[in-house]
Amino acid sequence: MTLLREFRLRARHVVAPVFYVSMILYFAVHLVSGERGIRAWADLREHAAEADRRLESLSARQATLEEKVSSLRPDGLDLDVLDERARVMLNLAARDELILQIPSR
């Protein structure tokens, strides 16, 4: 009976610290690898950086396309350039025209 009593006495002194250490470990693990932990935060930052790079790329492409489109507006349209590009793209010419092809660099 004294052995059981000694066990209960020691258990009272051990249970609380073990419980608190377990809780601290539980929260520490979730702080690092949890759904909203440090690793998830790093992954989100990486994903955001990739999205920013893609946005820059698409913005540059949009600016290029807007520049091309602006040259097609009626107030900025050069009919000679339009005629030349249409002939090149469609590979068309009139019967009385002489075509000289100059190789591009």
Side-chain angles (χ1 to χ4, degrees):
M1 186 97 133
T2 61
L3 184 61
L4 185 60
R5 189 175 200 187
E6 182 74 24
F7 181 73
R8 284 183 185 171
L9 182 64
R10 290 184 186 262
R12 286 183 184 167
H13 294 290
V14 172
V15 169
V18 168
F19 175 75
Y20 292 127
V21 167
S22 299
M23 291 301 292
I24 290 171
L25 288 175
Y26 173 80
F27 286 115
V29 166
H30 284 282
L31 174 71
V32 173
S33 64
E35 183 179 306
R36 298 174 188 222
I38 294 172
R39 287 184 186 167
W41 180 67
D43 290 342
L44 284 175
R45 286 188 59 163
E46 184 178 322
H47 184 69
E50 177 63 32
D52 286 340
R53 286 190 294 271
R54 186 157 188 251
L55 176 64
E56 286 179 22
S57 171
L58 291 175
S59 296
R61 184 166 184 238
Q62 180 183 9
T64 303
L65 291 174
E66 284 178 355
E67 184 178 317
K68 285 183 179 181
V69 169
S70 69
S71 67
L72 295 176
R73 292 199 175 104
D75 57 342
L77 187 61
D78 185 4
L79 296 178
D80 291 333
V81 174
L82 179 63
D83 181 54
E84 179 185 334
R85 290 305 305 156
R87 289 172 185 260
V88 169
M89 298 299 287
L90 298 174
N91 200 19
L92 294 176
R95 291 187 185 270
D96 61 342
E97 290 181 334
L98 179 63
I99 299 174
L100 299 175
Q101 292 184 347
I102 300 172
S104 62
R105 295 182 189 192

